Amino acid sequence: MFNDVRVSGNNQKSGSPNLGTVVSVRGSVVDIRFDNHLPAIYSLLHCNQGKIAIEVLKQLDEHLVRGIALTPTQGLARGAEVEDSGGTLMAPIGKGILSRMFDVFGNAIDRKAEPEDIKWKSVHQPPPALERLSTSSEIFETGIKVIDVLVPLERGGKAGLFGGAGVGKTVLLTEMIHNMIGHQEGVSIFCGIGERCREGEELYREMKDAGVLPHMVMVFAQMNEPPGSRFRVGHSALTMAEYFRDEEHRDVLLLVDNIFRFIQAGSEVSGLMGQMPSRLGYQPTMGTELAQLEERIANTDTGAITSIQAVYVPADDFTDPAAVHTFSHLSASIVLSRKRASQGLYPAIDPLQSSSKMATPGIIGQRHYSLAQEIRSTLAHYEGLKDIIAMLGLEQLSSQDRMVVVRARQLERFLTQSFFTTEKFTGLSGKLVSLSDSLDGCERILQDEFKDYPESAFYMIGGIGEIKKKTEQELTNA
């Protein structure tokens, strides 16, 4: 439920509202008759004293429109009076939205006073014009070693985050928000599409405890809300992100959880509107709807919106249309592994399954590319030797293979990292490691410079320069 409706524009300047009458109500689908002026597509209508909001999606004839309710339709009956607001759904923009939590209508849902110093803008915006897009590919440094070295993110690009429950998705996202705010003076926007209320409340509390809330905006459409509301919340979050990029000229980190639920909500809306389903029951307009959202996430001449999107893959079937259409927009895929999490190798990113389109010599440079390939080769070789080690033992390997195992295990531990957002849980101070320090450490490990150091000395350190200090501490404690 929402308090009031903000709309863009008003075509009832004469003071006489454009009124219609409800003809039929079928769940969230409402048909309305207008005898005077037919509302345009995406117009927002409201009835029952503004308690019910309906977005026009189809004009059936010269008098009838069909819309989808963005709020529950309890109490709505045939013959009810409907008022055309004269505009579309709006999102709040401005500095006043920072540190706040909103619903799809732009109402604050964090039990605080309504935000001040804000303006309103339609959620239906075109993507940036082609001439405004940046033609150069830049790397988005996160300060997290394993991502910067093996899965470099694109500034203004889109990365998919794949992982089940309890493997560290939220912790990884929180750390990225912390690094973005503290070291790049950027803004973070979290968009929860079909989130459980528990998840939203926990995330808000964690962000507040981590101290990143003052430079962050959260937008939620909960799982129990109508599909129209879940379908539009992504556009609301993007409108806020575009304000910071285009008017404040700041870099924005947009986190979306979960992009599959956006497609799912669109499928529900399509089915309710009576459209013929496409392959596997998805809406025939899925590609267009996803592109309208994703193409607004871009690197322009004023700033960049970099997006990290949690992606649910139905039944682990990567040929599912939802997964296929999502993958076509992503520039990087980060896969979290439960096995690595159980070994305490945090962040639990699987370096062999994760990939990035940025990892080419022309973008990241020949040295970085060669190092990343050698690291992957070393880890893959070690993975192939694990069965032999388990059956026969390390002693049965050739001296060359034993050195590969030493390098791989040192690399695995060097690519772990203590986070700022988990300091109070682990007792370890957070580390932010530059790309040059990360590459330098990996290169020196591959050159066997530290072959006589214990594996534990590489665990949860920042730059490779800390290894001697940690070794001395361990010897002192022993």
Side-chain angles (χ1 to χ4, degrees), residues 174 177-178 181 206-216 421:
T174 313
I177 291 167
H178 179 278
I181 290 164
E206 285 169 9
M207 298 301 173
K208 192 173 182 180
D209 292 344
V212 299
L213 205 55
H215 299 277
M216 187 175 177
T421 50

Side-chain angles (χ1 to χ4, degrees), residues 43-63:
S43 291
L44 198 67
L45 319 175
H46 45 86
C47 53
N48 284 21
Q49 290 83 45
K51 292 178 182 176
I52 296 174
I54 301 163
E55 186 176 69
V56 175
L57 292 184
K58 192 183 286 185
Q59 294 177 339
L60 300 175
D61 57 33
E62 63 268 28
H63 291 297

Side-chain angles (χ1 to χ4, degrees), residues 347-364:
I349 294 170
D350 190 321
L352 299 178
Q353 289 193 53
S354 304
S355 63
S356 170
K357 292 177 183 174
M358 295 295 102
T360 61
I363 297 173
I364 60 176

Side-chain angles (χ1 to χ4, degrees), residues 7 29 71 151 203 240 272 306 318 373 377 397 403 468:
V7 293
V29 177
T71 52
V151 201
L203 188 71
M240 298 176 189
L272 289 166
T306 304
F318 285 84
Q373 291 297 96
S377 174
L397 297 179
M403 281 311 302
K468 291 178 182 175

Side-chain angles (χ1 to χ4, degrees), residues 263 279 282-288 290-291 294 318-330:
I263 295 172
R279 184 174 161 228
Y282 286 105
Q283 64 271 40
T285 52
M286 174 171 63
T288 308
L290 187 62
E294 297 281 11
F318 285 84
T319 64
D320 187 273
V324 170
H325 280 279
T326 304
F327 284 137
S328 66
H329 293 279
L330 299 178

Side-chain angles (χ1 to χ4, degrees), residues 53-283:
I54 301 163
E55 186 176 69
V56 175
L57 292 184
K58 192 183 286 185
Q59 294 177 339
L60 300 175
D61 57 33
E62 63 268 28
H63 291 297
L64 278 178
V65 295
R66 178 167 291 168
I68 191 86
L70 304 182
T71 52
T73 53
Q74 284 94 333
L76 188 61
R78 280 187 293 180
E81 187 177 78
V82 179
E83 184 178 344
D84 176 12
S85 63
T88 62
L89 182 66
M90 303 283 277
I93 59 172
K95 293 181 179 177
I97 66 173
L98 288 171
S99 82
R100 303 302 301 271
M101 185 192 285
F102 298 96
D103 64 9
V104 69
F105 299 101
N107 296 310
I109 53 173
D110 50 8
R111 297 181 182 174
K112 295 179 183 176
E114 283 294 311
E116 298 176 358
D117 189 28
I118 60 168
K119 296 179 287 186
W120 295 87
K121 189 176 181 181
S122 171
V123 302
H124 300 282
Q125 298 294 330
L130 202 56
E131 61 267 21
R132 283 193 57 212
L133 298 181
S134 173
T135 53
S136 61
S137 293
E138 297 177 54
I139 296 302
F140 175 79
E141 271 196 51
T142 62
I144 299 168
K145 288 181 284 190
V146 65
I147 292 178
D148 289 344
V149 172
L150 295 175
V151 201
L153 304 186
E154 180 184 11
R155 182 173 175 265
K158 295 164 274 279
L161 185 61
F162 305 84
V167 292
K169 284 200 302 293
T170 304
V171 172
L172 190 58
L173 292 179
T174 313
E175 185 70 6
M176 283 186 176
I177 291 167
H178 179 278
N179 294 352
M180 173 78 173
I181 290 164
H183 301 276
Q184 300 194 25
E185 297 181 349
V187 175
S188 293
I189 294 179
F190 184 91
C191 175
I193 304 176
E195 286 284 277
R196 300 167 185 86
C197 59
R198 170 186 60 79
E199 292 173 334
E201 190 274 332
E202 283 175 0
L203 188 71
Y204 181 82
R205 194 158 19 92
E206 285 169 9
M207 298 301 173
K208 192 173 182 180
D209 292 344
V212 299
L213 205 55
H215 299 277
M216 187 175 177
V217 186
M218 303 175 82
V219 195
F220 282 99
Q222 288 172 213
M223 192 174 270
N224 63 312
E225 294 184 36
S229 179
R230 285 180 271 127
F231 188 56
R232 284 287 172 243
V233 72
H235 297 88
S236 294
L238 256 172
T239 305
M240 298 176 189
E242 286 167 343
Y243 161 79
F244 289 107
R245 178 191 67 190
D246 299 336
E247 296 186 38
E248 296 271 330
H249 298 177
R250 297 169 76 177
D251 280 0
V252 183
L253 181 63
L254 175 65
L255 307 163
V256 182
D257 188 8
N258 186 307
I259 202 67
F260 174 76
R261 295 197 194 119
F262 168 78
I263 295 172
Q264 203 172 37
S267 181
E268 290 177 51
V269 169
S270 176
L272 289 166
M273 294 297 290
Q275 291 181 333
M276 183 72 72
S278 182
R279 184 174 161 228
L280 295 186
Y282 286 105
Q283 64 271 40

